[in-house]
């Protein structure tokens, strides 16, 4: 079986974007997998970078910005259609294609083959432009009058969201592709959208957490590695100024927190985002954005992981941190409530409520028995629910079913 994974990049988000999956598939007997990307970061020979000219690339990006026509001029779909690997593939597996990777205009030609599988990683597919509509419901009625034209990475000079939404409608209503989702949260978007409600070939495959995240460890050793006292309580989170990740709610909650025991903050991401007031109140260790090996060490030093995202479609960091035995606090009305099996395992606080986050933190700080219990049960829950080998096998099973059905159609 020949499989082609497609994503805008390889190493960033490698666990869910096809990179790790294609490596695992290549270990299977009789399977050959490659990944095509617009931005290659690894030296892996089975990852192929689309041919590119930096000057031409910048020209089409500037045209998209000038005319507010995001995701229409990306050239790599045309390239993919001509690649020998694409023509010979038994399965084409699309991932995140809207980061200047594949034009919407190329999707009809790509998706008319019945061997294309598309993993939906976020709700961009049902909106006129934004990746996460949050409380806005205009994606259900054609977009337009967009309140978020200045969203980072998706800025539009004029509001073309209605036209882009209708373009998607004209494309999507003609097709019924094989779709993979990771959660019921994503399926709800697809079911409620006029663009995708007719799609009925959906398979849910939750992301898998590798066994190395679940290996036993001594937490005090990892606290010492980061210069933290073994007896202090360590709270961790991702530092970013991206509004959807909800860091401001963490900052405000930590300002309110008053604890008798010593507390340290261990973070990964953009250290400039952390307020000086928190640096003065807590011992703070800020780390850059970490890749897998270092990220495991980061998680293992934590007692509590805060993931106050306003929107996710899975929340891989939540599952990863729980695998490393952290207690998890998130917001209600997000997919994290589902993924962390709150309230039994994770704690889901009222949406956008600083006070609710502060209350949950105070509760865990003042009740060490509950903290220890949630940490233990969280690790066990992840081991049972998000098995990486099962994640790979479920993909392979789906691919084989699609390939067998397609072969049967051609032999009739």
């Amino acid at each position: 079986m020949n499989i082609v994974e497609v994503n805008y990049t390889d190493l960033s988000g490698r666990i869910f974007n096809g990179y790790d999956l294609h490596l695992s598939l290549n270990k299977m007997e009789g399977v050959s997998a490659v990944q095509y990307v617009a931005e290659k970061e690894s030296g892996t020979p089975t990852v192929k970078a689309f041919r590119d000219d930096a000057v031409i690339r910048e020209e089409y990006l500037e045209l998209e910005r000038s005319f507010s026509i995001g995701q229409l001029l990306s050239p790599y779909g045309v390239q993919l259609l001509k690649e020998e690997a694409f023509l010979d593939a038994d399965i084409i597996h699309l991932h995140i294609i809207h980061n200047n990777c594949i034009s919407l205009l190329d999707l009809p030609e790509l998706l008319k083959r019945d061997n294309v599988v598309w993993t939906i990683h976020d709700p961009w597919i049902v909106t006129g432009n934004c990746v996460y509509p949050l409380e806005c419901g205009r994606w259900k009625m054609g977009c337009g009058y967009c309140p978020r034209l200045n969203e980072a990475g998706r800025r539009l000079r004029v509001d073309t969201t209605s036209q882009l939404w209708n373009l998607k409608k004209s494309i999507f209503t003609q097709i019924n592709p094989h779709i993979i989702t990771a959660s019921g949260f994503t399926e709800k978007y697809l079911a409620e959208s006029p663009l995708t409600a007719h799609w009925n070939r959906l398979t849910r495959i939750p992301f898998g957490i590798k066994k190395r995240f679940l290996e036993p460890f001594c937490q005090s050793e990892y606290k010492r590695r980061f210069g933290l006292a073994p007896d202090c309580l360590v709270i961790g989170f991702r530092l970013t100024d991206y509004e959807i990740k909800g860091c401001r709610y963490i900052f405000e909650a930590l300002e309110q927190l008053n604890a008798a025991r010593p507390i340290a903050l261990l973070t990964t991401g953009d250290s400039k985002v952390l307020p000086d007031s928190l640096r003065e109140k807590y011992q703070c260790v800020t780390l850059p954005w970490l890749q897998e090996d270092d990220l495991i060490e980061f998680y293992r030093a934590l007692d509590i992981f805060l993931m106050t995202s306003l929107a996710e479609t899975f929340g891989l960091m939540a599952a990863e941190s729980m695998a490393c035995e952290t207690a998890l606090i998130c917001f209600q009305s997000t997919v994290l409530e589902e993924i962390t099996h709150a309230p039994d395992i994770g704690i889901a606080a009222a949406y956008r409520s600083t006070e609710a986050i502060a209350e949950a933190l105070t509760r865990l700080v003042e009740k060490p028995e509950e903290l220890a219990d949630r940490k233990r049960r969280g690790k066990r829950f992840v081991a049972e629910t998000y098995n990486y080998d099962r994640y790979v096998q479920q993909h392979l099973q789906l691919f084989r079913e699609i390939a067998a059905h397609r072969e049967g159609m051609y032999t009739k």
Side-chain angles (χ1 to χ4, degrees), residues 91 110-120 172 174-181 187 190-191 196-205 398-399 401-403 405-406 409:
I91 295 293
L110 279 171
L111 293 173
K112 76 178 184 181
R113 295 165 56 115
D114 204 43
N115 65 340
V116 179
V117 184
W118 192 356
T119 292
I120 305 302
F172 294 164
Q174 301 175 48
I175 58 177
N176 185 19
H178 297 284
I179 297 294
I180 294 176
T181 66
E187 292 168 9
L190 297 177
T196 57
H198 64 289
W199 290 1
N200 58 12
R201 300 198 290 182
L202 273 62
T203 302
R204 188 187 302 185
I205 305 179
L398 175 63
F399 295 165
E401 289 172 358
I402 293 171
H405 177 73
R406 186 166 177 259
M409 290 177 61

Side-chain angles (χ1 to χ4, degrees), residues 3-44:
I3 300 168
V4 174
E5 303 280 346
V6 183
N7 194 62
Y8 76 97
T9 189
D10 49 357
L11 292 185
S12 296
R14 56 178 284 172
I15 293 178
F16 60 85
N17 71 11
Y19 178 78
D20 280 357
L21 179 59
H22 103 280
L23 294 180
S24 298
L25 289 170
N26 276 325
K27 297 176 182 178
M28 305 291 180
E29 184 177 354
V31 178
S32 175
V34 297
Q35 184 183 39
Y36 277 80
V37 297
E39 301 171 10
K40 181 175 178 177
E41 300 173 337
S42 74
T44 306

Side-chain angles (χ1 to χ4, degrees), residues 116-137:
V116 179
V117 184
W118 192 356
T119 292
I120 305 302
H121 290 277
D122 54 56
W124 168 83
I125 194 169
V126 300
T127 75
N129 179 60
C130 69
V131 176
Y132 290 105
L134 299 179
E135 292 97 324
C136 177

